[in-house]
Amino acid sequence: MAPQITSWDDLTKVWEQRDDETGEAQQTSFALFDSNESFYYGMLETPKAEITFDQVTKALSSVPDEEVFTRWPAPGIELIQAPATLTEDFYIKRPDPEMYKVMKEHNALSQLSAALLAEAEVLQSLSQNPHPNIIRYHGCRVLRGYFIGIVIDKHPYNMHNYLKDRVGTIEKRSFIAALESALRHLHVRGLAHNDLTPTTFW
């Protein structure tokens, strides 16, 4: 039975698909990882502004673990497991729910978790050569015999929201120096971030 939705904040992610020519919203998709890390997905052929939470609740469907998660331990991959009990200081990076429908349509759901496993391998390697400006990795979240996600430090803001919400300012010179230091640390190890945007700076 799907959880009862009473607010958009109850959901993990909500996004609209828009017409390429007019820019008008045509569909609204939504996803939820509940407190047990079970995954729910739904879609309505309606703009978000016109949807009721009762409609969202009825449209949410439970997705089997095997569609979005990989069995643990993953064959041929040695990764540490995060503590079973997590505090609010941790963030769990899970498979991207926005990619679920696309991957399902292309019979490529295994790629959702495979990409996350590859990222966990990189983070684990970096944790053996830590850098103060690269987020701290705590291992893999495992539940019901599945790799659920990556456990990392939790920060209250990314750079975009830090500035948008007027939480504070950023001293440009020291920020760029810290960023360049972290990137050099990656490059020396043959790695590249490839996604440097204000929303990726935590």
Side-chain angles (χ1 to χ4, degrees), residues 96-164:
D96 184 358
E98 197 166 341
M99 296 302 297
Y100 171 74
K101 182 173 181 288
V102 174
M103 292 299 188
K104 189 175 179 68
E105 289 173 347
H106 289 83
N107 196 30
L109 281 172
S110 62
Q111 294 302 309
L112 282 175
S113 194
L116 209 58
L117 274 173
E119 186 173 344
E121 287 188 276
V122 170
L123 287 173
Q124 183 159 303
S125 174
L126 287 172
S127 71
Q128 296 165 8
N129 297 280
H131 187 282
N133 301 329
I134 294 178
I135 202 160
R136 187 180 172 195
Y137 165 79
H138 297 276
C140 297
R141 176 71 160 161
V142 177
L143 283 176
R144 301 183 297 278
Y146 286 92
F147 163 63
I148 302 295
I150 300 170
V151 181
I152 53 180
D153 281 344
K154 183 178 182 179
H155 294 280
Y157 302 97
N158 56 38
M159 188 177 76
H160 173 76
N161 291 332
Y162 184 80
L163 297 175
K164 178 185 174 185

Side-chain angles (χ1 to χ4, degrees), residues 17-26:
Q17 290 77 43
R18 296 181 176 273
D19 184 276
D20 291 337
E21 294 183 1
T22 66
E24 293 182 359
Q26 296 178 313

